[in-house]
Amino acid sequence: MIRSYRTVYLFLAFYLGLSAHAQQLQAQPLVREKLSLDKGWLFHLGDIPFPVITGHGPSYATSKAGSATGAASVRYNDKDWRQLNLPHDWSSEMPFDSTENLSQGFRKRGYGWYRRYFKLDSADRGKNIELQFDGIATNAEIWVNGTVVHRNWCGYTSSYIDITPLALYGKNQTNIIAIRVDAVAHEGWWYEGAGIYRHTWLVKRPALYITTDGVYANPVKKPGGSWQIPAEVTLANAGMAPENATVGINLLDRNNKIVGSAATGVQVAVLGTTTAKVLLNVADPTLWDVDNPYLYKVVTTIKQNNKLVDELTTKCGFRTIEFRAASGFYLNGKPVKLKGTCNHLDHAGVGVAVPDALWGFRLGKLKEMGSNAYRCSHNPPPAELLEACDSMGMLVMDENRNFNTSDEYVRQLQWMVQRDRNHPSVILWSVFNEEPFQGDWRGYEMVRYMSARVKDLDTTRPVTAAQSGGQLNPVNVSQAADVVGFNYQQGAYDAFHKKYPDKPLVSSEDGSAVMTRGEYVTDRKKDILGSYDTEFQPWGNTHRKDWRLIDERPFVAGGFYWTGFDYHGEPQPNEWPAIASVFGIMDLCGFPKSAFWIHQAQWRNDIPVLHLVPHWNWPADSIGKKIKVMAFSNVDSIALLLNGKEIGGQKADKYEMNTWYVPYRPGKLEAIGYNAHKKVVTRFSVETTGAAYALQLIPYKKALKNDGWDAMPVTVQVVDKKGRPVPTVNNNITFDVTGGATIIGVGNGDPLSHESEKGNQRSLFNGLAQLIIQSREGANGTVKITASTPGLRSATVSLPLTAVPVPPFVPEAKLPAPTNH
């Protein structure tokens, strides 16, 4: 019974509003928009406690929709908060502090709050509105318009939040996002950063739409040799009535030419989801591989009555993968030894808030070294990293963060698989890294269950687990994995293969040698580790020995060396004041250590490789003293000369490399590389330089895009009057950047340095430092970079700005006259 006029009014208002909403749905323009939400956030460092309700206060009110209090309230006064753009890692801005956690790089993490205001046009009513947070470190609670909408329990998984029921529309309505980030929680024993460190998005879709990560279009090769894309497309219907539609797939080559099409019909219930299956046959595609990473576009369309409703473009690559127990990994039917590295996510100057362009820089350095494989240690990576791996030809072990079979953690695992299963670069799913139950029945059952959940979503890739022991136990996780992962168990390779000759094997993590870039004399008391590949952790091996153990065994598919790059935190074997690891083949900036050329000599056969260490700038009291000299090479034989006089020749050793002990004399130390026919194929030399004379700037790229996203590292070094780099100087450098770019970070690769990674100053470390710049949105002209230091000639370089479209973004908005309550 209707009991009052007010009730009648509310009922009619609801009914009439619903009818108007339905009419608006029918007239809704069919447009999908993915808009960047990175700009215009407000940030407060530290926690803001919620008001405590005492006495007879209405405690129930805080649990009502839209009634959040404190910094989550729609009326909270945030006028004094800092304004910034994402991605953002506040921990990278913190000073180093010996009382903070060692594994997190001795930097404060704690709590932080973010708020963002935005408007939605009246025309957006009736669309599906979704917020996407690609990564928040570590845990987060998210409110929209005063209502808690999501809690995130992993810093490496994305949050997709449907805010359609809560969104406000029209020019007089403002939407408010509030986020409390808890970075006190740790998920790893390495630097994880703090804050909203990956991209954020606002996605507007029609009422009948393709869901997020809802297109699975991974090509497969049939037994007869033909190719198919058995696409699966998940649709959702936020409308008022069941909907019939046609789901279509168009395959486009590099030239955007349609080379295949297929379609099927589907019906989607009200507020329901349906997965349509579309089979597309493809004739003679160009294959994707590490040398020619050819990508196709998959354009998925939703049509009703021949009118386009929704459209989504993904990419795919045609390739076959296979792990054979006797002979390792095969790509497109050809054996490929996996020459991999393990890597965390941070970089000098920016922490884990890595600009997209920097992934290309880092992968480029790995490819230059000869690496063809990348392990995402120990967590799902940013989507942009996998996109770079796809386009650059880098094979990927995609790794789950949390080894747990409870619902939430299985959801995290399946999110990773669903997001990443279209990437041709991904060849392995790893469900864990070095877990306590790995050698018993508990681990076996957990991997068996998690593997099944992976295969609910993707059966085209094997499942592995990075196991640091127990492979020979009667029951262990290797028996539930498709490919057995070995972490630091080189002594068990042969025994395992003999016992389980039908089980494929990969070295999922190996090495753990340590060295400090540019240092050649170990001094443990000073946390300095020499760069002759003689220092390694008790569980590990040298770079040279480790690769030999893998390379000489065809049944080992390859290996992933720990690590490609140094990273903040986990400074072992060093302790405070050391604040960064020294495991890397390259340092935090991506500057090569000796290990880089060791692996280049081992892994590249397309070019002659020859490199000498150490430098040849030693003090006067070193004259006559023997200096250990190493040559890293893939040639047949090497001759070593000092000031034109031959020291001696050696047959090149492709595993151990070559060593001489040379009495020091200033001048030129030169190595000459010969092939098997005694023909000179390469030369390399180090020289005693003159005094430091001038600075030199070396940008990674020749130009910078003006979209506000593009970024690049710039190397600064010191040269003598002849232009030769001086490898031993440590001057403090001041940077000045004018024009269309800003400084977002500085570094030098020194694992002991406590200098700030923000600002415009940084000391050189053994002759090198790095500046990272990012373009200003819409800027024109050039970027001018100047480096200066007292007593040396300054350096200036100008970079042109290339005009490109600015990525679509959500404009900032603001509420009037907020008051805290």
Side-chain angles (χ1 to χ4, degrees):
M1 179 181 293
I2 298 175
R3 298 188 179 182
S4 69
Y5 288 111
R6 181 176 182 273
T7 306
V8 172
Y9 171 79
L10 290 173
F11 174 78
L12 288 173
F14 170 78
Y15 178 78
L16 292 173
L18 193 61
S19 299
H21 178 61
Q23 292 172 7
Q24 196 163 15
L25 266 179
Q26 294 174 358
Q28 182 62 46
L30 308 175
V31 178
R32 167 188 285 259
E33 296 178 278
K34 186 173 183 178
L35 307 172
S36 170
L37 201 60
D38 282 353
K39 295 196 300 184
W41 286 82
L42 300 174
F43 173 68
H44 173 83
L45 179 62
D47 203 7
I48 300 175
F50 288 95
V52 177
I53 299 172
T54 59
H56 299 286
S59 58
Y60 69 87
T62 59
S63 64
K64 299 283 187 179
S67 60
T69 61
S73 167
V74 296
R75 302 297 294 166
Y76 186 82
N77 187 346
D78 53 24
K79 67 181 180 64
D80 294 327
W81 287 21
R82 171 185 169 192
Q83 185 166 341
L84 52 75
N85 296 335
L86 306 177
H88 175 231
D89 172 8
W90 81 67
S91 186
S92 71
E93 303 168 354
M94 297 291 104
F96 298 101
D97 184 343
S98 64
T99 65
E100 295 294 337
N101 184 269
L102 174 147
S103 66
Q104 297 296 327
F106 294 107
R107 276 177 160 157
K108 183 178 177 62
R109 298 180 81 218
Y111 297 90
W113 280 84
Y114 295 84
R115 285 169 65 90
R116 175 64 152 86
Y117 299 81
F118 69 96
K119 291 183 180 291
L120 292 169
D121 193 275
S122 296
D124 291 328
R125 188 185 297 276
K127 296 179 182 178
N128 173 264
I129 309 295
E130 184 175 86
L131 293 176
Q132 297 179 357
F133 297 90
D134 287 352
I136 304 175
T138 298
N139 298 338
E141 192 167 7
I142 302 172
W143 292 261
V144 172
N145 296 333
T147 298
V148 62
V149 293
H150 186 72
R151 290 182 174 90
N152 175 62
W153 302 112
C154 178
Y156 303 101
T157 57
S158 297
S159 300
Y160 306 144
I161 308 167
D162 186 346
I163 64 168
T164 306
L166 297 171
L168 302 173
Y169 304 89
K171 62 181 181 180
N172 295 323
Q173 299 279 5
T174 301
N175 295 277
I176 305 104
I177 306 168
I179 303 176
R180 179 182 183 265
V181 178
D182 171 8
V184 174
H186 294 184
E187 287 187 277
W189 49 96
W190 57 88
Y191 180 84
E192 298 184 281
I196 310 177
Y197 73 99
R198 295 184 187 175
H199 292 302
T200 57
W201 310 92
L202 177 71
V203 182
K204 303 177 184 180
R205 299 177 285 212
L208 180 65
Y209 62 94
I210 303 166
T211 62
T212 303
D213 300 331
V215 173
Y216 179 31
N218 185 42
V220 295
K221 189 175 184 180
K222 306 303 289 182
S226 62
W227 285 89
Q228 293 179 336
I229 298 181
E232 298 178 8
V233 182
T234 302
L235 280 68
N237 179 10
M240 299 293 183
E243 298 286 356
N244 294 306
T246 300
V247 179
I249 297 288
N250 288 324
L251 184 69
L252 281 65
D253 65 13
R254 275 183 180 171
N255 299 315
N256 289 322
K257 177 184 176 182
I258 296 177
V259 295
S261 298
T264 191
V266 68
Q267 184 180 71
V268 189
V270 176
L271 298 179
T273 60
T274 298
T275 299
K277 296 185 177 182
V278 185
L279 184 62
L280 175 62
N281 294 304
V282 183
D284 194 28
T286 300
L287 299 185
W288 182 98
D289 65 30
V290 294
D291 297 317
N292 180 33
Y294 193 100
L295 295 172
Y296 287 82
K297 292 179 183 176
V298 178
V299 181
T300 303
T301 59
I302 310 300
K303 292 183 178 180
Q304 291 183 296
N305 300 321
N306 244 6
K307 292 183 179 180
L308 184 65
V309 174
D310 195 13
E311 181 178 276
L312 184 63
T313 298
T314 55
K315 293 182 180 180
C316 73
F318 289 79
R319 90 287 184 270
T320 61
I321 59 172
E322 182 183 5
F323 285 84
R324 300 180 187 175
S327 53
F329 175 71
Y330 286 72
L331 179 65
N332 299 323
K334 299 177 182 178
V336 174
K337 201 77 167 182
L338 297 177
K339 303 168 182 176
T341 61
C342 304
N343 294 285
H344 287 312
L345 294 175
D346 58 311
H347 189 90
V350 294
V352 294
V354 177
D356 298 353
L358 231 55
W359 297 122
F361 165 75
R362 288 165 67 92
L363 289 176
K365 296 300 294 184
L366 292 171
K367 293 281 285 188
E368 178 188 345
M369 182 176 67
S371 177
N372 61 15
Y374 189 106
R375 178 183 174 212
C376 303
S377 305
H378 304 289
N379 45 260
E384 294 78 16
L385 172 57
L386 292 183
E387 290 166 5
C389 290
D390 288 345
S391 64
M392 297 177 71
M394 184 69 77
L395 303 166
V396 174
M397 180 193 294
D398 204 350
E399 190 155 88
N400 175 55
R401 171 73 292 269
N402 293 298
F403 186 48
N404 195 315
T405 53
S406 64
D407 290 348
E408 167 59 19
Y409 295 104
V410 170
R411 183 199 66 79
Q412 294 175 15
L413 170 67
Q414 290 195 307
W415 165 84
M416 178 187 76
V417 175
Q418 189 165 4
R419 186 197 65 165
D420 297 345
R421 58 187 177 171
N422 288 325
H423 289 283
S425 58
V426 176
I427 61 168
L428 281 166
W429 303 117
S430 174
V431 294
F432 77 62
N433 173 72
E434 300 178 358
E435 289 288 338
F437 301 157
Q438 62 189 6
D440 63 30
W441 63 269
R442 292 169 296 178
Y444 166 79
E445 286 294 341
M446 292 173 72
V447 171
R448 189 170 74 93
Y449 179 79
M450 294 173 79
S451 178
R453 300 293 72 80
V454 168
K455 291 171 183 177
D456 289 341
L457 298 170
D458 178 46
T459 59
T460 69
R461 298 170 178 88
V463 170
T464 189
Q467 191 174 350
S468 58
Q471 286 93 338
L472 297 173
N473 291 0
V475 180
N476 68 89
V477 301
S478 71
Q479 294 154 358
D482 303 311
V483 175
V484 181
F486 274 65
N487 281 24
Y488 308 105
Q489 303 297 303
Q490 291 93 340
Y493 288 163
D494 295 333
F496 182 88
H497 184 60
K498 182 178 180 179
K499 186 174 182 179
Y500 302 105
D502 297 326
K503 200 76 171 178
L505 183 160
V506 67
S507 178
S508 44
E509 183 176 321
D510 46 73
S512 281
V514 288
M515 60 178 69
T516 308
R517 177 182 58 77
E519 298 289 349
Y520 299 95
V521 178
T522 294
D523 187 340
R524 293 270 179 162
K525 292 181 179 179
K526 294 182 178 179
D527 291 333
I528 296 174
L529 299 158
S531 295
Y532 290 114
D533 192 31
T534 56
E535 307 290 339
F536 56 92
Q537 290 294 79
W539 59 83
N541 254 324
T542 66
H543 293 268
R544 293 165 294 158
K545 182 177 180 181
D546 196 83
W547 179 246
R548 183 172 194 161
L549 289 169
I550 293 169
D551 193 44
E552 290 183 336
R553 290 164 172 78
F555 62 86
V556 180
F560 294 85
Y561 205 90
W562 190 265
T563 54
F565 299 86
D566 283 344
Y567 49 96
H568 296 88
E570 201 177 18
Q572 56 181 296
N574 301 330
E575 297 179 356
W576 177 268
I579 46 80
S581 84
V582 284
F583 290 113
I585 294 169
M586 289 171 274
D587 68 17
L588 268 166
C589 297
F591 296 137
K593 305 181 189 179
S594 298
F596 180 94
W597 289 287
I598 292 173
H599 286 284
Q600 189 178 68
Q602 292 172 335
W603 288 353
R604 293 197 67 167
N605 55 18
D606 58 326
I607 59 170
V609 174
L610 180 58
H611 191 88
L612 289 176
V613 296
H615 59 75
W616 212 238
N617 276 31
W618 296 97
D621 62 4
S622 296
I623 292 176
K625 295 180 180 178
K626 289 186 176 181
I627 304 294
K628 182 178 181 179
V629 174
M630 291 189 73
F632 312 130
S633 183
N634 62 3
V635 299
D636 184 73
S637 60
I638 306 166
L640 186 68
L641 294 80
L642 178 59
N643 296 328
K645 181 180 179 180
E646 186 167 337
I647 301 295
Q650 295 185 16
K651 179 77 171 176
D653 187 331
K654 70 175 184 178
Y655 291 122
E656 289 301 314
M657 304 296 143
N658 295 81
T659 300
W660 294 261
Y661 289 89
V662 180
Y664 178 65
R665 289 288 184 277
K668 181 179 180 180
L669 183 70
E670 182 180 22
I672 303 173
Y674 300 88
N675 64 16
H677 305 290
K678 307 304 179 183
K679 180 181 178 181
V680 175
V681 291
T682 185
R683 295 172 181 264
F684 186 88
S685 64
V686 289
E687 296 184 49
T688 308
T689 70
Y693 174 71
L695 296 177
Q696 185 179 62
L697 289 168
I698 307 171
Y700 176 62
K701 298 185 293 187
K702 294 181 179 180
L704 199 62
K705 298 174 184 176
N706 72 341
D707 55 8
W709 290 46
D710 196 16
M712 78 163 76
V714 180
T715 298
V716 58
Q717 62 183 9
V718 171
V719 296
D720 66 6
K721 284 188 175 182
K722 293 183 178 181
R724 298 173 298 187
V726 183
T728 55
V729 293
N730 297 297
N731 302 57
N732 185 266
I733 311 298
T734 299
F735 299 102
D736 181 58
V737 176
T738 59
T742 57
I743 300 171
I744 61 172
V746 290
N748 62 13
D750 182 359
L752 304 179
S753 176
H754 291 193
E755 296 177 13
S756 173
E757 294 186 89
K758 303 298 180 182
N760 70 333
Q761 292 189 348
R762 187 70 177 190
S763 295
L764 299 173
F765 174 60
N766 289 331
L768 297 172
Q770 185 176 81
L771 168 75
I772 303 174
I773 61 171
Q774 188 165 44
S775 66
R776 296 182 190 272
E777 182 183 299
N780 296 310
T782 61
V783 177
K784 182 180 178 181
I785 307 169
T786 300
S788 60
T789 189
L792 299 183
R793 178 177 290 184
S794 62
T796 299
V797 66
S798 293
L799 297 170
L801 286 161
T802 303
V804 296
V806 175
F809 64 92
V810 180
E812 303 160 39
K814 190 68 179 176
L815 275 180
T819 57
N820 285 353
H821 67 281

